[in-house]
Amino acid sequence: MTPGGSAPQVPGDAVVSLTGAERAKQLRGEAALVAGELAAAGSAVRLAVVVATEDESTGWYVRSIARAADRAGIACDLVTLPPDAEPGLIRAKLAQLSADDGVHGIILQTPLPPGAVAAELAADIAPGKDVDGANPLSLGRLAAGLPAFAPATAEAVVSLLDAHKIDLAGRTAAVVGRSTVVGKPLAHLLLDRDATVTVCHSRTADLAAVTRGADIVVAAVGRAGLITAEHLKPGAVVVDVGTNVLPDGTLTGDVDAPSAAGRASALSPVPGGVGPITTALLLSHTVRAAARTAGHPFGNG
Ligand code: NAP
C-alpha cells in the first residue's frame, strides 16, 4: 500500500517509518559541496546563532548546529547574550550581523528573555540572511507565494514527505499547532503543494474528529502522546514534529507511536524524523544565502 493511500490498513500491515537521516545526509552533502566551492572562490560561508538563554537543552541544540556546520565547512559563530538581555540589545546585535558582509545566515534562537517577542525582534534580521524564516517579512512572502526562506522545521516536514514520495496534491492535511515557527508556515507550504489544509490548535472543539478526516496529520504541539489511533483514519500518514523530554530524560514526540502505528500507514520517529532534516536545512539555507551573494548557481534554488 502506498503510504497514506486511501485504502484502509489491513491489521498486521507494517507501518512505514518516515526517517529523516537519508534526506538530511543528502542536504548536508550538497551544502558541504557548495560551501567548499564558495570557500575556494574566497567566500567562506558563515552562520551566526544569537542565543540569549541559559537553558541547557537549547545550549545542547545550538552546539549540535555548530558541529553540523563545522562538518559542512560552514563557520558558525555562537553569539551569546545575557538571559535578561533587553529587546533593544538583541535587535542591535541582529542589525549588526545583518550589516556584516562576512555573515550569510542569522538564527535567533528561542527561548528568549521573558517579554521578548521573537517575531518582533527578528524583524531586524536581513531577509536575505533569515535562514530560519523568523522575520515576519519572510512569513508574509511565504503566504503571498513569493520566494523566501521558510522556517526550517516547517520546510523539513514537506522535505520528509517528499523524501518518502508521499503525494501532497489533492490530499487533506491537518496541521495540529498554529505557531509562527511551525504550524502557520507549514500550512502555507502544504497549500503551495496543493494539499487541502486544516490548522488545529488548543481551542479546536473536537480535535480527533478533524484529524480523523485527514490523509496527512502533522503534530506540532509539544505534548507527549497527544495524538493516538483515535485521532487517525486508517492509512493516515503521520508526521511528528513534537520534541518532549520525559521526566526520565528520554525524548519523545507528540504522537503516541505504539497506538498510532496500529492505524497509520506511515509515521515519523522522534528522534530521527523531522529533526535531522531541520538542522540540515538550516545549513542548506545558509549556503544558499551565501551563494546568492557570490552569484553561485546554487543561489538560484
Ligand atoms: P508552540 O509555539 O508552543 O505552539 C504549540 C501549538 O500547539 C499552539 O498553536 C497551541 O495552540 C497548540 N496546542 C497546544 N495544546 C493543544 C491541544 N491540546 N490540542 C491542539 N493544539 C494544541 O510550539 P512550537 O514552537 O510550534 O513547537 C511545537 C513542537 O514542535 C514542540 O514540541 C517543539 O519542541 C517542537 N519543535 C521541533 C522542532 C524540530 O526540529 N523537530 C523544531 C521546532 C519545534 P494555541 O495556539 O491555541 O495555544
Side-chain angles (χ1 to χ4, degrees), residues 61 153 176-183 200-204 207 219-223 226 240-244 254 274-275 278-279:
Y61 173 65
T153 306
V176 189
R178 58 173 163 181
S179 73
T180 313
V181 287
V182 192
C200 309
H201 45 80
S202 67
R203 304 292 298 275
T204 298
L207 180 66
V221 173
R223 285 200 180 195
L226 177 74
D240 194 350
V241 179
T243 52
N244 309 288
D254 289 345
V274 173
T278 300
T279 308

Side-chain angles (χ1 to χ4, degrees), residues 99-119:
D100 183 339
D101 289 342
V103 173
H104 304 100
I106 303 169
I107 297 172
L108 174 60
Q109 187 57 46
T110 55
L112 289 165
V117 178

Side-chain angles (χ1 to χ4, degrees), residues 170-280:
R171 313 291 293 281
T172 51
V175 177
V176 189
R178 58 173 163 181
S179 73
T180 313
V181 287
V182 192
K184 282 178 188 160
L186 176 58
H188 291 300
L189 292 172
L190 291 169
L191 275 174
D192 280 350
R193 298 289 300 274
D194 299 321
T196 301
V197 184
T198 307
V199 182
C200 309
H201 45 80
S202 67
R203 304 292 298 275
T204 298
D206 186 346
L207 180 66
V210 178
T211 53
R212 266 200 308 270
D215 301 319
I216 298 162
V217 175
V218 183
V221 173
R223 285 200 180 195
L226 177 74
I227 303 296
T228 63
E230 184 212 342
H231 293 81
L232 306 173
K233 70 152 109 169
V237 171
V238 184
V239 179
D240 194 350
V241 179
T243 52
N244 309 288
V245 182
L246 297 178
D248 69 359
T250 44
L251 185 69
T252 187
D254 289 345
V255 178
D256 178 342
S259 165
R263 198 166 290 182
S265 62
L267 170 60
S268 73
V270 177
V274 173
I277 302 183
T278 300
T279 308

